[in-house]
Amino acid sequence: MPKQLLMKFDSFWIRFRTPIRRGNKKYSNKIKGKVMISRIMFLAMFLGSSFTINATIIDFEGVADDSEFVPAMSHVEDGYTLTSSSSIGPISGIFGAGEPHSNTNGSAIFGWCTFCELGHVISLQRIDRGSFDFLSFDVANLDPEGDIGIVDITGFFTDGRIVTASVNFSTVWTTEFLNWTGLDQVDFQSPLFPLIPEVEPGLLLDPAIDNLVMARVPLPTSMALFGLGFILLSASRARKSII
């Protein structure tokens, strides 16, 4: 907390909340106690805002015109990046809300061609390579006349764990809630087999995703405990000053 910020806050509080009286030591101690309490409240609000989860939604808006498809090997938005592993060029990209051959949900979406390169992966990371939480995302078949398919989502956690969830998708857009916390990276990949036997083996369905909801990992517990200890110590000093 910058010292200048606290000094300005103290000056404001004394000027507008307390009449100035001189020559009264007991009253002066009360003023100091009240200022200390105001500091505690201010610090508590500041720390509380620091621990608040800052949710980020990647919605792919503002890249493609309404009826346009923009090929992309990578997409950067709000501190996160989606990167394609393709070795043959862009086989993924952003589809505008009105793109006539795609199953958009009334807004821009991100999709990729699974069959174009088997084993193709879309990776999600923070640009600064920091850890994050992956809360939910929307998914559907990119083809408006497509069938049922699967997309595998693999989470690489900061503690070394690797977890994979298989999500079914169709032409109906659905929201999938994962609520994974403490991640370094998330991979999206279509498996090398169809979900239903009626689909010809090797014919893979193309997924589309939208509204990826992430959150930066809150401050470490040690910092939270330090802040709490400081607040309690300040509260004790303020009580002694008022008495």
Side-chain angles (χ1 to χ4, degrees):
M1 177 67 64
K3 183 177 179 181
Q4 294 85 350
L5 186 58
L6 281 176
M7 291 175 63
K8 289 182 179 180
F9 183 78
D10 293 347
S11 175
F12 173 85
W13 196 93
I14 293 173
R15 184 179 304 169
F16 291 98
R17 297 292 298 171
T18 308
I20 298 177
R21 298 184 185 181
R22 303 179 183 276
N24 189 328
K25 183 176 181 180
K26 183 177 180 180
Y27 190 81
S28 177
N29 287 339
K30 287 186 176 182
I31 294 295
K32 291 179 180 178
K34 290 180 179 180
V35 171
M36 183 63 72
I37 290 175
S38 70
R39 280 191 176 192
I40 295 168
M41 294 172 62
F42 183 69
L43 286 170
M45 289 186 293
F46 176 81
L47 289 172
S49 64
S50 298
F51 302 143
T52 301
I53 295 177
N54 297 316
T56 298
I57 301 177
I58 296 181
D59 58 12
F60 308 106
E61 299 297 336
V63 178
D65 292 336
D66 188 57
S67 59
E68 184 183 19
F69 166 65
V70 177
M73 287 291 292
S74 65
H75 171 70
V76 177
E77 184 176 338
D78 292 337
Y80 292 84
T81 179
L82 280 170
T83 305
S84 166
S85 68
S86 172
S87 60
I88 61 174
I91 57 175
S92 59
I94 298 173
F95 297 78
E99 209 284 327
H101 306 294
S102 303
N103 178 29
T104 64
N105 55 0
S107 64
I109 60 174
F110 185 90
W112 63 93
C113 174
T114 299
F115 185 71
C116 295
E117 184 176 355
L118 300 183
H120 174 240
V121 175
I122 301 292
S123 297
L124 170 68
Q125 291 179 309
R126 268 175 53 176
I127 293 176
D128 60 7
R129 296 301 184 264
S131 56
F132 63 97
D133 301 338
F134 187 39
L135 306 181
S136 66
F137 70 105
D138 297 345
V139 63
N141 195 320
L142 182 60
D143 183 353
E145 299 180 357
D147 218 318
I148 301 171
I150 286 181
V151 60
D152 289 338
I153 303 95
T154 302
F156 298 86
F157 292 78
T158 55
D159 61 7
R161 290 179 297 129
I162 300 176
V163 176
T164 298
S166 295
V167 174
N168 301 341
F169 64 80
S170 67
T171 55
V172 178
W173 280 90
T174 59
T175 301
E176 301 295 332
F177 295 93
L178 295 175
N179 295 318
W180 286 348
T181 59
L183 293 160
D184 286 326
Q185 179 176 319
V186 173
D187 284 354
F188 299 84
Q189 182 181 24
S190 290
L192 302 181
F193 57 86
L195 176 63
I196 55 178
E198 290 79 7
V199 179
E200 180 184 350
L203 179 58
L204 305 179
L205 303 175
D206 299 334
I209 57 176
D210 196 10
N211 298 322
L212 282 64
V213 182
M214 280 80 62
R216 291 177 179 268
V217 173
L219 294 175
T221 304
S222 57
M223 294 185 67
L225 292 175
F226 175 80
L228 179 61
F230 180 80
I231 289 175
L232 292 176
L233 178 62
S234 299
S236 175
R237 292 179 58 191
R239 184 174 181 275
K240 290 180 181 179
S241 298
I242 295 175
I243 295 176

